[in-house]
């Protein structure tokens, strides 16, 4: 079985994330969406809410599980999960430059490979940070995020 991990904080999940996750299911039998928490960051949504939003959004897709990544190295998480690949979406060359050293280190640590998927051009400008900022300032982000996210943004 070909298993991959698609890691991220997903705070919040947006259509660019969903598009990459969906495409990963065409390449792998099992895709684990690993929701990370960096305790140095300030999150809009707690990890349980982020997991709920992702599960609601991808429920119609086959072969996806959504779990908290917990603490520790991504490469080690992949080894324990039996994943032989990490899926990373790339919006631009800056993303590639940021991700390349991590991909090399992950391969060095456990042999896990990183598969880069260029994002659909419709989503190349999206980032969770930008979505949060626009939403907090009263802008309409409904075009960029799934309904599960809009509901939670409207509640908070």
């Amino acid at each position: 079985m070909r298993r991959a991990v698609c890691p991220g904080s997903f705070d919040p999940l947006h259509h660019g994330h969903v598009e990459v996750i969906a495409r990963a299911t065409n390449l792998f039998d099992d895709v684990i969406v690993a929701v990370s928490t960096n305790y140095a960051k300030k999150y809009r949504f707690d990890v349980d809410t982020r997991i709920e939003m992702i599960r609601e959004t991808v429920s119609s897709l086959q072969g996806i599980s959504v779990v908290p990544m917990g603490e520790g190295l991504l490469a080690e998480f992949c080894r324990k999960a039996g994943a032989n690949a990490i899926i990373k979406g790339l919006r631009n060359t800056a993303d590639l430059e940021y991700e390349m050293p991590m991909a090399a280190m992950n391969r060095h640590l456990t042999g896990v490979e990183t598969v880069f998927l260029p994002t659909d051009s419709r989503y190349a400008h999206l980032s969770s940070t930008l979505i949060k900022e626009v939403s907090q300032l009263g802008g309409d982000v409904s075009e960029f995020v799934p309904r599960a996210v809009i509901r939670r943004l409207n509640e908070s």
Side-chain angles (χ1 to χ4, degrees):
M1 175 182 288
R2 296 171 307 159
R3 179 175 290 152
V5 171
C6 188
S9 59
F10 306 106
D11 184 45
L13 179 74
H14 57 68
H15 291 316
H17 293 134
V18 176
E19 188 252 343
V20 167
I21 293 166
R23 287 171 51 209
T25 66
N26 294 325
L27 301 171
F28 295 90
D29 304 309
D30 188 23
V31 175
I32 301 167
V33 178
V35 182
S36 63
T37 299
N38 176 343
Y39 295 101
K41 282 176 105 175
K42 185 179 185 307
Y43 289 99
R44 175 82 184 260
F45 298 106
D46 64 37
V47 69
D48 292 332
T49 303
R50 288 180 275 145
I51 288 170
E52 285 174 22
M53 290 187 292
I54 298 166
R55 285 181 177 156
E56 285 178 41
T57 301
V58 302
S59 63
S60 65
L61 299 173
Q62 298 295 310
I64 297 177
S65 57
V66 184
V67 300
M69 193 177 111
E71 295 183 21
L73 296 170
L74 175 58
E76 195 57 31
F77 177 88
C78 292
R79 186 188 64 73
K80 288 177 182 173
N84 59 350
I86 297 167
I87 300 291
K88 292 297 225 158
L90 298 178
R91 296 168 294 183
N92 51 43
T93 57
D95 282 354
L96 180 64
E97 288 178 14
Y98 176 79
E99 295 291 348
M100 285 298 291
M102 288 189 290
M105 182 59 78
N106 287 330
R107 187 176 59 250
H108 173 79
L109 290 171
T110 65
V112 66
E113 294 290 347
T114 300
V115 176
F116 296 117
L117 295 179
T119 191
D120 185 295
S121 61
R122 294 174 295 169
Y123 310 121
H125 66 290
L126 295 182
S127 72
S128 293
T129 302
L130 184 59
I131 297 279
K132 283 188 288 193
E133 188 174 317
V134 170
S135 175
Q136 288 170 342
L137 293 172
D140 180 10
V141 295
S142 60
E143 181 180 344
F144 309 117
V145 298
R147 283 188 296 255
V149 174
I150 284 296
R151 263 195 325 276
R152 275 25 170 249
L153 286 171
N154 290 337
E155 290 170 1
S156 56

